[in-house]
Amino acid sequence: MTSLATRPPSTAAPRRAKPRRSGRTGSNLGLTAKYLVLLAFTAFSLVPLAWMVSSAFKAPQDVLEVPVRWIPKQWHPENFVKALMEPRFTGHTFLEFLINSTIVATVTALASVVLSIMVGYGFAKFRFRGREAFMWTLLGSTLLPFSSVVIPLYLVIDSLALTDTLAGLIIPFVITGQAVFVARQFIRAIPTAYIEAARIDGASEWVIFRRIIVPLTGPAVTTVAVMSFLFSWNQFLWPLVITSSQEGFTAPLGLSMLGMGSTFNTDYSVWMAASTIAIIPPLVFFLILERPYLRGLEAMAGIK
Amino acid sequence: MLRNRELRAALIFISPAILFFLVFWAAPVLLALYYSFTDWQVGQTETWAGLANYTKLLSDPQFHTAVLASMSIVLIVMAVSLVLALGVAIVLADPRIQAGRLWRVSVIVPVVTDWVATGLVFQLFFLPNQGVLASFGQSLGIDALNSVRWTTDAGLAPWAIAIFVIWKQTGLYAIFFLAGLKGIPGDIIEASKVDGANAWQTFWRIRWPMMTPLTVFVVVLSFVTTLGLFEPVYLLTGGGPAGATRTLPLFLFENFFTFGNSGYASAAGIYFLLLSLMFTFTASRILKDRDES
């Protein structure tokens, strides 16, 4: 259990390439059943998303057509331009909200990488009184449902005059217990002997951090970055609570307003085009960095 | 001397976390605790109210409904998504399954997509008469699906929310279970097979007991996560019909930001926080024990 997430994934290689000969029919039946389970579950996972993408290309009146048509009768790629460019929400466009989201999520991810590596190193390689207690309190506090601390956090952000700013969307999340914990799990795998050798050679603590630790934290960096980016991009309750002027809207906030109040819009194909656009950045990020992301989840669950 | 230098360095490295913990966790909670003992309304100065908010909450039928609504959604989601997740993980852990990465990615995709974007999709799925589910029903000849009022019927609305949450989260729990199953050394499984255990026995006698700590972690995590969910309720029912799905997070949000009953909402928030703390510290305790073993 002390071996760490940086272990190459090859350890999970198939244990046996071929099924045993005895009881082959039974086991083939089992395998077929397993494929059916997977097929059913992935259909459940993907059907809503496939429907979203296909509707994004349809004419508005065709979105709720019976029976469901998966390939649009006529293609309307201009829905995407409409979704992005058409001014709504007191003159602002969805494109502006996407830019806000990009800034917020990118800055959160970058800051979170730097700070988590620093703090994670402190927790992983130094002994001091109260270390364990603080580490686990930090982790426990950020496993809390966000909605249970949203009012207290609002009170503080309000008194710091950070409501309705992009900074207010970023600052509270540049350090999270999860990111620190994941960074710590990775950094613990770096042999302590390197650090001790450098100390004996007279290197300062900062030099040790910059020259020895940071270059060896590659996997931790990508993992923390992808987790923070996804977390930040998909946040909804917090921007809803602190953002009042539409200049500062993030993409999810803009999306949620599509079906509401003065901006009410029942052009469902535009809804779906906007939704499709909003899920592309996190999806692309995830598909490229799937392995680091999964490693982060595994580190979270304390596996390896 | 070296110890001293190290200690100072350690303090510097973890100082951002200390600062953050104080400013964005300890201070806010203390502030909310203070307000929970006052009658603060937005735009007015507060006066000390002692335990009034706390006792009033205990006899507030809306608060009771909120707790019940939260619990029923949590129970449905946990029962369905944990069983599904374990099933999918067992299947994915079979080394004979081809294209494992493709399946894994498809399973986890809903987890990384945004609540609001997918919430709009589910809004349209659940529309009565013309919604996507109704239309699937017609194609399959189940006309009864047509008139189902998924989000406006008090009995069905929690189910509609739960379906959306199950769709969104099951993949995450499946990935946790999968990692747990793969973490079991292959030679133990091999040995049990040599001893003549069938797949069923191997699972219940070896894999399952070895996964118990992880399972407890996933159970606790799914409990607190689902309890705290705001987005699916806000997007699908807005707490309706007539407050039937006004869950705890929504109750807090409405009282604080919509009605301005800030002191009252703070007290409800403290109840919610205490409830969540009990569970998250169980979870982090489990992680700690695993970490030390």
Side-chain angles (χ1 to χ4, degrees):
Chain A
M1 279 306 148
T2 46
S3 63
L4 281 173
T6 42
R7 194 158 57 166
S10 63
T11 47
R15 286 185 282 277
R16 209 176 43 219
K18 283 180 190 145
R20 216 173 262 181
R21 216 148 258 291
S22 61
R24 204 176 61 182
T25 22
S27 120
N28 276 349
L29 210 65
L31 192 60
T32 314
K34 282 179 172 177
Y35 273 117
L36 285 177
V37 168
L38 271 185
L39 211 58
F41 188 78
T42 43
F44 172 59
S45 293
L46 298 180
V47 159
L49 297 172
W51 186 84
M52 170 168 101
V53 176
S54 125
S55 303
F57 286 100
K58 287 179 186 170
Q61 67 275 14
D62 291 343
V63 171
L64 293 175
E65 198 183 14
V66 179
V68 174
R69 186 194 291 271
W70 293 97
I71 311 290
K73 242 188 317 208
Q74 298 158 318
W75 291 82
H76 292 273
E78 75 276 8
N79 288 342
F80 288 90
V81 181
K82 260 199 208 163
L84 279 174
M85 294 304 189
E86 230 169 46
R88 41 189 112 235
F89 322 104
T90 65
H92 295 280
T93 62
F94 191 62
L95 181 64
E96 292 173 55
F97 307 155
L98 282 170
I99 295 172
N100 283 339
S101 274
T102 309
I103 295 171
V104 169
T106 310
V107 176
T108 307
L110 291 177
S112 153
V113 163
V114 174
L115 292 170
S116 312
I117 299 284
M118 248 180 89
V119 176
Y121 173 54
F123 278 122
K125 292 294 179 190
F126 292 91
R127 295 184 174 282
F128 49 90
R129 198 183 312 174
R131 179 182 77 168
E132 294 301 293
F134 185 43
M135 174 74 231
W136 298 104
T137 310
L138 199 65
L139 184 65
S141 69
T142 51
L143 282 177
L144 280 174
F146 180 67
S147 57
S148 72
V149 289
V150 69
I151 291 175
L153 193 60
Y154 172 81
L155 295 172
V156 164
I157 289 296
D158 191 38
S159 61
L160 295 174
L162 285 173
T163 50
D164 214 9
T165 62
L166 292 188
L169 295 174
I170 296 168
I171 293 172
F173 309 102
V174 294
I175 292 191
T176 64
Q178 282 101 319
V180 167
F181 184 72
V182 167
R184 165 198 185 254
Q185 296 299 84
F186 281 92
I187 292 171
R188 275 211 312 194
I190 298 171
T192 310
Y194 294 177
I195 301 166
E196 279 161 1
R199 257 183 214 136
I200 291 166
D201 289 346
S204 77
E205 292 298 328
W206 186 249
V207 167
I208 294 175
F209 178 66
R210 281 283 299 114
R211 295 281 163 78
I212 296 173
I213 302 300
V214 172
L216 289 173
T217 48
V221 169
T222 29
T223 299
V224 170
V226 64
M227 292 181 94
S228 304
F229 184 91
L230 292 179
F231 171 81
S232 176
W233 184 278
N234 292 338
Q235 261 203 330
F236 176 66
L237 177 56
W238 184 241
L240 179 70
V241 161
I242 72 159
T243 310
S244 45
S245 59
Q246 300 182 346
E247 276 159 57
F249 269 27
T250 57
L253 216 46
L255 273 180
S256 77
M257 297 287 167
L258 273 176
M260 281 178 189
S262 58
T263 55
F264 193 78
N265 174 334
T266 47
D267 186 343
Y268 295 140
S269 56
V270 171
W271 282 29
M272 291 302 106
S275 299
T276 306
I277 297 167
I279 68 164
I280 288 174
L283 212 56
V284 168
F285 214 162
F286 163 71
L287 288 176
I288 298 172
L289 298 174
E290 175 225 343
R291 260 177 214 290
Y293 179 75
L294 292 183
R295 267 204 309 258
L297 291 184
E298 289 171 6
M300 263 311 297
I303 303 148
K304 299 185 181 165
Chain B
M1 206 187 72
L2 192 67
R3 288 290 315 152
N4 248 337
R5 189 185 102 165
E6 262 189 70
L7 196 67
R8 216 174 37 227
L11 256 177
I12 291 171
F13 284 122
I14 65 160
S15 58
I18 297 173
L19 187 76
F20 253 74
F21 188 73
L22 292 179
V23 176
F24 294 114
W25 215 87
V29 170
L30 286 178
L31 213 56
L33 196 62
Y34 166 72
Y35 284 125
S36 74
F37 293 114
T38 70
D39 64 353
W40 184 34
Q41 302 261 334
V42 164
Q44 292 170 23
T45 35
E46 70 275 9
T47 52
W48 189 256
L51 284 171
N53 288 327
Y54 289 93
T55 47
K56 194 176 150 205
L57 274 169
L58 290 182
S59 57
D60 180 348
Q62 285 207 350
F63 186 63
H64 296 170
T65 317
V67 175
L68 282 179
S70 286
M71 286 303 164
S72 57
I73 292 173
V74 167
L75 285 181
I76 302 171
V77 168
M78 284 179 70
V80 179
S81 73
L82 294 181
V83 171
L84 272 180
L86 187 61
V88 169
I90 291 172
V91 171
L92 280 175
D94 189 327
R96 294 171 301 168
I97 295 285
Q98 301 292 313
R101 176 163 187 261
L102 200 66
W103 296 112
R104 222 166 39 231
V105 166
S106 321
V107 163
I108 207 164
V109 154
V111 179
V112 299
T113 56
D114 161 43
W115 278 107
V116 184
T118 53
L120 292 178
V121 176
F122 275 81
Q123 274 183 27
L124 299 179
F125 268 57
F126 287 132
L127 282 180
N129 300 321
Q130 40 169 352
V132 182
L133 288 182
S135 145
F136 281 149
Q138 278 187 357
S139 307
L140 296 170
I142 316 169
D143 286 342
L145 264 181
N146 226 341
S147 50
V148 175
R149 288 157 52 235
W150 287 102
T151 54
T152 51
D153 180 286
L156 279 178
W159 289 89
I161 293 166
I163 291 171
F164 180 26
V165 177
I166 291 163
W167 176 81
K168 188 82 170 60
Q169 290 186 337
T170 302
L172 179 66
Y173 308 137
I175 293 301
F176 281 145
F177 282 133
L178 177 63
L181 285 169
K182 282 194 168 165
I184 298 169
D187 40 354
I188 299 183
I189 309 290
E190 226 25 72
S192 78
K193 284 189 179 143
V194 171
D195 289 346
N198 61 32
W200 187 257
Q201 288 166 327
T202 319
F203 180 78
W204 287 111
R205 301 272 172 83
I206 296 167
R207 290 183 203 257
W208 183 248
M210 288 189 77
M211 275 179 41
T212 304
L214 177 71
T215 308
V216 178
F217 173 74
V218 176
V219 166
V220 174
L221 187 74
S222 64
F223 179 87
V224 283
T225 316
T226 314
L227 189 67
L229 285 177
F230 171 84
E231 291 87 348
V233 186
Y234 181 82
L235 294 165
L236 287 187
T237 67
T245 57
R246 191 192 289 115
T247 54
L248 275 171
L250 225 69
F251 179 88
L252 292 182
F253 180 84
E254 285 189 356
N255 268 289
F256 193 91
F257 295 101
T258 315
F259 308 138
N261 300 324
S262 318
Y264 194 56
S266 300
I270 297 292
Y271 273 135
F272 185 22
L273 188 61
L274 288 177
L275 181 69
S276 316
L277 273 175
M278 273 172 14
F279 285 90
T280 45
F281 277 92
T282 318
S284 80
R285 184 88 228 167
I286 295 161
L287 284 180
K288 183 167 188 265
D289 292 343
R290 285 170 67 78
D291 195 60
E292 281 163 0
S293 68

